[in-house]
């Protein structure tokens, strides 16, 4: 199978990477079913990368319908070690303005309906998740964005991403509550992805593209899909440049990541007691520990 060390998951408004060369579309099946869409392998800055449109290229999947396990497992099957997520988010802070970028370092889970583990069916594992983002990958992303000196936008290093269930946007009371918790941005997708990437020992970090002020701001209209997509179209080019520069730096100097050994002390069940079918299903995740 084709291979790529760097994966990119594009969210709302980012359904393809324009700069990819020598593109190959790969239909991948996984023990968790098919991913959101075909994976697009291509060369960016001289390096093979794998791109996936999180909601499908025609945006046909709700956040609650996303096949998170298949998406991460497919990346693992391609040999991905670093996964960059690009996501639209609403701002929960006055100073974080639409068109700004944030590289969050924390998450708060407000989802109710997501499968966010590969484990179960006879094998128990508890990954450490106190630091849910790979700090070295996050640093590569922030340094890459900063180096571009993009005009008229502020880049925030760190911040808390609230992951809500959706698909309806928040109520004002919810939005005010998240603000009172000190959270920075809100979206509907990144937390299950980050958990599963960690279980799959893939370094994960998010480039969050601020598209709106959610619904709490007295001087701004409440978020609408139109607002999100319009603002993403405005800074989609910058987002792609930022990802391209991140890939260049990652390929030149791939950083170590604690995520790459996340399962070392996480698996509780003795592996010889794990049912064969489960061992086979999770083969790629377990192989180095068997
Ligand atoms: C289209 S607005 C809401 C939608 O946008 C964000 O998607 P993604 O994280 O994939 O960029 C948000 O999480 C919602 O899924
Ligand atoms: N305000 C918001 N809430 C949830 N997801 C979003 N994606 C973009 N803006 C959002």
């Amino acid at each position: 199978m084709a291979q790529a060390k760097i994966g990119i998951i594009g969210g709302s408004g980012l359904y393809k990477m324009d700069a990819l060369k020598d593109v190959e579309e790969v239909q991948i099946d996984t023990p968790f079913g098919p991913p959101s869409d075909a994976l697009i392998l291509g060369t960016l800055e001289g390096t093979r990368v794998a791109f996936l449109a999180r909601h499908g290229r025609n945006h046909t999947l709700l956040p609650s319908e996303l096949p998170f396990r298949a998406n991460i497992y497919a990346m693992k099957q391609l040999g991905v070690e670093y996964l960059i997520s690009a996501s639209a988010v609403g701002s929960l802070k006055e100073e974080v303005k639409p068109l700004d970028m944030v590289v969050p370092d924390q998450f708060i889970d407000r989802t109710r309906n997501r499968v966010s583990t590969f484990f179960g069916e006879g094998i128990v594992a508890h990954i450490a998740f106190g630091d849910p983002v790979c700090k070295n990958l996050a640093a590569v992303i922030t340094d890459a964005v900063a180096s571009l000196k993009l005009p008229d936008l502020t880049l925030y290093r760190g911040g808390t991403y609230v992951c809500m269930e959706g698909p309806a946007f928040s109520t004002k009371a919810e939005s005010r509550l998240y603000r009172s918790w000190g959270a920075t941005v809100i979206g509907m997708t990144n937390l299950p992805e980050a958990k599963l990437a960690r279980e799959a020992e893939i370094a994960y970090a998010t480039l969050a593209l601020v598209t709106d002020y959610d619904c709490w701001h007295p001087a701004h209209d409440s978020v609408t899909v139109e607002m999100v997509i319009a603002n993403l179209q405005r800074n989609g080019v910058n987002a792609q440049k930022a990802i391209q520069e991140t890939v260049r730096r990652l390929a030149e100097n791939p950083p170590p990541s604690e995520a790459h050994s996340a399962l070392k002390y996480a698996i509780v069940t003795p592996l010889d007691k794990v049912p064969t079918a489960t061992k086979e299903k999770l083969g790629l995740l377990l192989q180095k520990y068997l």
Side-chain angles (χ1 to χ4, degrees):
M1 189 185 289
Q3 293 283 295
K5 275 208 168 110
I6 301 172
I8 300 157
I9 300 188
S12 298
L14 210 110
Y15 306 111
K16 66 181 176 65
M17 289 284 302
D18 297 324
L20 285 187
K21 298 203 183 79
D22 301 323
V23 171
E24 182 190 349
E25 196 169 311
V26 204
Q27 298 285 351
I28 295 187
D29 201 14
T30 79
F32 303 93
S36 299
D37 204 329
L39 275 93
I40 308 297
L41 275 105
T43 303
L44 197 60
E45 296 289 332
T47 299
R48 285 310 265 176
V49 301
F51 177 86
L52 175 65
R54 177 181 289 120
H55 303 272
R57 69 189 83 180
N58 297 314
H59 208 131
T60 44
L61 296 165
L62 285 170
S64 317
E65 291 174 329
L66 293 179
F68 288 105
R69 290 190 297 181
N71 290 352
I72 299 296
Y73 206 86
M75 290 285 178
K76 190 79 184 171
Q77 281 172 280
L78 292 174
V80 167
E81 295 173 11
Y82 300 93
L83 187 53
I84 305 160
S85 153
S87 265
V89 293
S91 168
L92 297 169
K93 287 194 186 285
E94 178 80 50
E95 66 273 21
V96 181
K97 307 175 306 300
L99 303 182
D100 284 351
M101 295 185 187
V102 181
V103 179
D105 59 357
Q106 284 297 330
F107 290 106
I108 293 175
D109 194 357
R110 288 276 301 163
T111 66
R112 280 172 283 118
N113 197 16
R114 313 281 174 97
V115 181
S116 50
T117 181
F118 287 109
F119 294 99
E121 297 176 22
I123 180 166
V124 174
H126 302 277
I127 47 149
F129 206 53
D131 293 302
V133 168
C134 170
K135 61 177 187 314
N136 292 344
L137 177 56
V140 178
I141 298 175
T142 47
D143 291 348
V145 177
S147 77
L148 296 175
K149 301 199 182 334
L150 298 167
D152 305 324
L153 77 79
T154 307
L155 164 70
Y156 292 88
R157 294 175 188 253
T160 299
Y161 173 121
V162 176
C163 191
M164 58 175 290
E165 184 63 41
F169 291 114
S170 305
T171 64
K172 286 187 173 141
E174 287 164 338
S175 199
R176 288 186 203 118
L177 179 69
Y178 305 146
R179 273 170 55 70
S180 79
W181 290 348
T184 316
V185 293
I186 183 160
M188 304 181 189
T189 59
N190 274 228
L191 181 66
E193 227 166 66
K195 278 190 182 157
L196 289 160
R198 181 63 58 83
E199 287 189 350
E201 299 191 323
I202 298 174
Y204 180 93
T206 299
L207 176 63
L209 309 159
V210 181
T211 51
D212 57 89
Y213 271 116
D214 200 34
C215 58
W216 61 270
H217 200 300
H220 289 266
D221 289 341
S222 291
V223 55
T224 61
V225 163
E226 200 185 357
M227 200 185 278
V228 171
I229 300 297
N231 275 336
L232 255 171
Q233 271 164 4
R234 262 183 237 156
N235 74 354
V237 173
N238 284 343
Q240 298 205 29
K241 275 193 209 154
I243 293 168
Q244 200 168 331
E245 178 60 14
T246 302
V247 167
R248 194 188 66 72
R249 287 168 179 244
L250 270 180
E252 196 174 273
N253 193 10
S257 175
E258 288 176 6
H260 293 158
S261 53
L263 289 183
K264 195 166 175 195
Y265 302 111
I267 302 169
V268 188
T269 316
L271 289 172
D272 59 345
K273 303 288 185 245
V274 175
T276 309
T278 302
K279 256 192 247 179
E280 278 171 13
K281 191 170 174 186
L282 295 183
L284 267 184
L285 271 48
L286 301 181
Q287 64 190 7
K288 72 191 227 210
Y289 298 104
L290 287 171

